[in-house]
Amino acid sequence: MKDYITGKRGLRAAAWITLMGGWVLLSLLVDNEVIVPGVGSTMSRLLVIVSGRDFLNIVGYTFLRCIAGFLASLLIAVALGALSRWSAFLRELMEPVLSFLSSVPIMAIIILALIWLDSQLVPVFVGFVMVFPILYETVYSSIVNVDGDLIEMAHIFGVDRRTMAIDIYLPAILAGIGRVSSSTLGTSLKMVVAGEVLAQPEFAVGTRLMLEKTYLNTDGVFAWIIVILLMSWVLKLSMDRIKAAWENKGWM
């Protein structure tokens, strides 16, 4: 097991080294900072960004929008997913809604949100719309796929609905959400940043990305991309910790 972990870390390190080497080589071949900035200039710009007065506000507000969109999607997905399990009408009603949300281009969603909502809410709405179908289907399938023998046994022993919901259905839902939580949070972050690029709220990573692009500061664009990657890593690490806590409590 130890050799496997060591080998996996070694491969991961080699992959990152290869990517960095490719970046350095490409920047040398292109020899144009506007097209492909060098590692040095990007890191210098990153230090300027991180040490900026508004950096924590920018990152913090983008995090809040991402989490708000995700939590709103999760709460509504749990409610509608559970109700759809016992309501054929609601399930049929949700089919065209899910199809619409999954098929419409993200740019169209953002444009509609810009018409309907304040610029501060546009990124939250975009994040909500893009992850809701995933979470809804996850909740619904988790409930549907609960072991039928377990349900039958609960009925035989006269287990009440509240106990069944807490001890049987809730762990199944949490396990399903746990499987997709990291990917959906990552998707939420990407969609929130995309919404920020067009909505241009005051404190937002997307707003700063657009500003760097406007002035052709490609090193700044690269630097903000690195910030987004680090934010995504923080979200994944946080969700892994939460899932570990769930498992320790026996909820998954």
Side-chain angles (χ1 to χ4, degrees):
M1 183 67 178
K2 184 177 180 181
D3 291 339
Y4 169 77
I5 295 173
T6 304
K8 188 175 181 180
R9 287 176 178 173
L11 288 173
R12 186 175 298 171
W16 278 106
I17 292 171
T18 301
L19 288 174
M20 292 297 292
W23 179 7
V24 171
L25 180 60
L26 185 60
S27 65
L28 290 174
L29 290 174
V30 174
D31 195 24
N32 188 329
E33 287 284 322
V34 175
I35 299 176
V36 182
V39 176
S41 60
T42 300
M43 291 301 113
S44 297
R45 182 60 185 158
L46 180 61
L47 287 174
V48 172
I49 288 171
V50 172
S51 60
R53 182 180 59 184
D54 294 329
F55 177 74
L56 291 180
N57 283 333
I58 293 167
V59 171
Y61 274 99
T62 295
F63 264 134
L64 285 175
R65 294 184 188 104
C66 170
I67 295 169
F70 176 80
L71 289 178
S73 294
L74 180 60
L75 290 174
I76 296 175
V78 169
L80 292 181
L83 290 173
S84 296
R85 170 62 180 85
W86 289 279
S87 172
F89 172 76
L90 182 58
R91 177 61 183 170
E92 290 300 319
L93 183 65
M94 289 302 298
E95 284 295 331
V97 174
L98 297 175
S99 178
F100 173 80
L101 294 179
S102 301
S103 303
V104 174
I106 180 61
M107 195 58 65
I109 297 292
I110 296 174
I111 291 171
L112 285 174
L114 286 169
I115 296 171
W116 294 337
L117 303 171
D118 179 82
S119 63
Q120 297 288 342
L121 294 176
V122 169
V124 178
F125 177 76
V126 173
F128 164 84
V129 165
M130 296 310 295
V131 302
F132 172 75
I134 303 171
L135 292 174
Y136 171 84
E137 289 290 357
T138 299
V139 171
Y140 177 78
S141 61
S142 296
I143 295 173
V144 169
N145 292 326
V146 169
D147 189 349
D149 292 337
L150 186 62
I151 300 298
E152 185 178 353
M153 186 180 298
H155 285 309
I156 292 172
F157 285 97
V159 178
D160 61 87
R161 291 182 178 181
R162 181 176 178 277
T163 303
M164 288 178 63
I166 294 175
D167 293 340
I168 297 176
Y169 290 113
L170 182 59
I173 293 172
L174 289 176
I177 292 171
R179 287 191 293 271
V180 301
S181 56
S182 294
S183 60
T184 49
L185 262 176
T187 299
S188 178
L189 177 62
K190 288 187 290 185
M191 294 303 102
V192 163
V193 172
E196 290 174 344
V197 167
L198 291 185
Q200 297 283 289
E202 182 179 0
F203 297 111
V205 171
T207 302
R208 297 304 168 129
L209 266 174
M210 179 56 76
L211 186 63
E212 300 287 1
K213 176 263 179 187
T214 301
Y215 291 104
L216 295 179
N217 295 330
T218 313
D219 55 349
V221 174
F222 273 51
W224 278 110
I225 289 173
I226 292 172
V227 171
I228 294 169
L229 290 173
L230 291 173
M231 292 171 69
S232 181
W233 176 78
V234 169
L235 286 174
K236 183 180 183 304
L237 184 64
S238 300
M239 187 50 64
D240 288 343
R241 294 285 179 86
I242 292 172
K243 286 192 287 187
W246 286 354
E247 289 171 355
N248 288 336
K249 290 181 178 294
W251 293 349
M252 292 178 61

